[in-house]
Amino acid sequence: MNPGSATGAGFALHPQLAADTHPIGELPLCRVLLMDDARFLWCLLVPRRAGVREIHELPESDRRQLWDESHRLTLAMRAVRTGDKFNLAALGNQVPQLHLHHLWRRVGDTAWPAPVWGTGQAIPYAAATATALCRRLWRQLTDAAAVSHRKAP
Amino acid sequence: MNPGSATGAGFALHPQLAADTHPIGELPLCRVLLMDDARFLWCLLVPRRAGVREIHELPESDRRQLWDESHRLTLAMRAVRTGDKFNLAALGNQVPQLHLHHLWRRVGDTAWPAPVWGTGQAIPYAAATATALCRRLWRQLTDAAAVSHRKAP
């Protein structure tokens, strides 16, 4: 649905991540996904690198790109929906493929102040809502103003 | 106990973080702390920047330094104790001062595969054990081989 660089050789999204998310788009390193849980504004970055489980397994250039894309995603999410506290995490204890959670939390949300993992049941988005939200996030991610937060390498 | 750059202007470690940890040392940007919980090898990075709650509030140069120090800490922890899966997180829903959790998890540890936050009660280290572990981690953090993983900027 969105333009992006070619998928990394041998990369395939883990079936559990595919089942739990809606695709937002492809950044130079990462696939960007929306978690199908309307309780939180919750996105994932998944580097298109086959077989990678840990951030420190990535070469330095990929790590820099990953954190740059994480920063862009954080700002794009903030532009779409205000929140009180950002949560960032790379856990992967259950799904080994490297993926980074990005969430804007709100004081008083259903899990607050606990972390979201393992808290209650996901509430799936209506299909049209998910599509519209993914489009808004992608627009922010590719917006010139958001990209300008990156300095040229 | 360890040499390091000057504490950032106006920075003071949050009392809750001070109460829950042992000091390991000072990297150029961050204070490095050992969580006083012998169930896990669990360290924190706290950027010495007063009033900062979110990673994206840091200027780009600090963000790069933060992720560089995070990488160094991850490798130092791995050198001290092997683990099965690394967990990295910036949450801060309860303690607002920006701090990054770094954990090497083991399959079958007391919280596995759930995240560690809110799982059971911390088991404090014996004082001598904490001191020895902090020294080993600091030695790894400042070891030439570990530092060589960083390329010159």
Side-chain angles (χ1 to χ4, degrees), chain A residues 42-85:
Chain A
W42 183 351
C43 296
L44 303 181
L45 286 183
V46 183
R48 292 188 304 279
R49 295 289 184 256
V52 172
R53 296 173 71 237
E54 305 282 5
I55 294 166
H56 66 268
E57 293 171 2
L58 294 170
E60 184 178 23
S61 57
D62 277 359
R63 292 201 309 274
R64 291 214 165 186
Q65 184 64 30
L66 174 66
W67 295 125
D68 180 70
E69 294 180 8
S70 173
H71 185 65
R72 286 175 64 185
L73 177 58
T74 304
L75 299 183
M77 291 169 70
R78 186 179 61 175
V80 163
R81 195 185 301 171
T82 57
D84 298 307
K85 185 70 193 70

Side-chain angles (χ1 to χ4, degrees), chain B residues 117-137:
Chain B
W117 303 278
T119 301
Q121 293 295 313
I123 299 176
Y125 286 102
T129 306
T131 301
L133 183 53
C134 287
R135 283 188 184 146
R136 287 180 64 201
L137 285 162

Side-chain angles (χ1 to χ4, degrees), chain A residues 37-43 74 77-78 81-89 91 101-120, chain B residues 53-54 56 89-94 115 117:
Chain A
D37 187 346
R39 300 175 302 164
F40 311 103
L41 182 58
W42 183 351
C43 296
T74 304
M77 291 169 70
R78 186 179 61 175
R81 195 185 301 171
T82 57
D84 298 307
K85 185 70 193 70
F86 199 74
N87 286 182
L88 171 73
L91 304 175
H101 299 271
H102 294 70
L103 295 104
W104 270 109
R105 303 291 304 277
R106 282 179 164 166
V107 174
D109 68 30
T110 183
W112 187 264
V116 297
W117 302 277
T119 301
Chain B
R53 296 174 69 235
E54 303 284 4
H56 66 268
L91 304 175
N93 304 340
Q94 313 218 37
W117 303 278

Side-chain angles (χ1 to χ4, degrees), chain B residues 8 33 47 52 64 86 96 104 126 136 150:
Chain B
L33 302 164
V52 171
R64 289 213 167 187
F86 199 74
W104 270 110
R136 287 180 64 201
R150 280 193 304 170

